[in-house]
Amino acid sequence: MAVLLCCGGAVAVVTWALTGNRIDTVGKVDFTNKLAIPPLATSTVDSRGRRVFDLTAQEGIHDFGSGRVSPAWGFNGSYLGPTLRAKAGEQVVVNVKNTLGQKTTVHWHGMHLPAVMDGGPHQQVAPGATWSPNWVIDQPASTLWYHPHLHGETAAHVYKGLAGMFILDDPTATSLALPQAYGVDDIPLIVQDKAFGSDGELTERTPFLSGVGILGDEIAVNGTHSPYLDVTTRLVRLRILNGSNARVFNFGFSDNRPFSLIGTDGGLLDKPASMNRIQLASGERAEIVVAVTPGERTVVRSYDPDQGSDFDALNGGADTFDILELRAAATLSPSPDVPAALVPIDRLNPSDAKVTRKFSLSGHSINGKQMDMNRIDFAAQVDTTEIWEVFNNDGDPHSFHVHDVQFLILTLNGAPPPPHLTGWKDTIFVPSDTYYRVIMRFTDYTDPNIPYMYHCHVLYHEDAGMMGQFAVVNPGQAPGTPPAYRSGTDHAGH
Ligand code: C2O
Ligand code: CU
């Protein structure tokens, strides 16, 4: 940017890009389409007691509504995928069949599982092949998701529509008096910015001077354009996933009504937080509960997010969107109040951490290095606690996502985190001049040779190399060598 600012013409261009490119759909969305609810995936229990799901990545034609009909990709359908749902302690198997004409992968974002089952860039599924990872659900009730993670192709595969929710349950969460009837008062919302061409076809829109790649100018929720939701209960729980490639949303309601934030990426909070905004970067989730009154309408809106830089308007930081209209029925079923206490959170003790690592995010690199499929950057020792310090060292907004573990934020810019960042997280937004200290524990699944990923979840940055690899090892073990990887081949490794 400094180079551009040194001449007057460039100043004018940047000024135009900052102001003329602004997107504002507030008041302009007509909410004519009933919100699609992703179906709950059917499953069977096999002879070994394992819950078995089938996901087929396929091409199709998707009707977003409002005349937007487009070739797209989906799992078991034309766009997005079914919601997988499993309970803590269950063993799951997912048969991932790839009927696309090219390789892909499916990563279980937020899941604690062996690296070889993680669906990162090493677990490629060749065209026509089926990959069947299995693992035991060993973490609290939470709203996770799944999406491709093929190195260099993640942005394109997710944008075309490959993503879905993965909801985990446990007895503690189920026993709470929270809305939990899927599709009735417990609603998944996969919110994505999209762009459409003149024939209604999905297009990849990358604004002039965007530092983050694709930024759509319209919104689809669960693959529905201009959606409305009929609400039939006094309280409704919204499980919000920012499934965009790069866009940051700052969700609230059109009348600024407060809502209870009850959960974040890795599970429920210890107590609800009353808020009227919740900002989510790409990949982050929030569970909120909101009250409605009979017969009213209110709109879920995205206000302009705080992206921390003078140039954030280039990256969507000045954009506002109407997202979804809630239409309350004339008569609402009663709902119990949100409990004052949710779930206990086992706070990790910073004095137990033997290792502190630093991650500097800048350009398309982490600690000055770009992703190399053949390099494992470091190894974390099993049964240890670590503190990771994450810095943004440039003018572009980044985020930071870690596979295998959920972590807790110790400090944000040196201060204790605000209420919405006090629960389990796997993805954090890291705009300019931001510094986090987070704490995590590595509990099992050692394998020196198969790495987990850490990366920016702005998918364009991730594809451009803003990613590294770590292994979890036994005491004294060094990071090993990943299985042979050759980009361009249809199958490598496991
Ligand atoms: Cu949502 Cu490594 O990804
Ligand atoms: Cu980034």
Side-chain angles (χ1 to χ4, degrees), residues 37 85 167 176-189 229-239 262 287-292 326 332-336 338:
I37 302 293
R85 191 154 195 170
I167 296 177
L176 292 170
L178 289 170
Q180 49 190 304
Y182 184 84
V184 179
D185 63 3
D186 182 349
I187 310 291
L189 299 180
L229 171 72
D230 288 317
V231 177
T232 57
T233 51
R234 183 180 70 91
L235 296 184
V236 63
R237 174 189 197 160
L238 304 175
R239 298 183 189 248
I262 59 166
E287 295 187 32
I288 70 170
V289 176
V290 64
V292 295
L326 303 187
L332 298 170
S333 308
S335 313
V338 173

Side-chain angles (χ1 to χ4, degrees), residues 204-229:
E204 294 191 0
R205 174 183 178 276
T206 302
F208 181 60
L209 294 183
S210 165
V212 294
I214 293 173
L215 286 168
D217 55 359
E218 300 188 59
I219 302 297
V221 184
N222 302 341
T224 308
H225 185 272
S226 290
Y228 69 87
L229 171 72

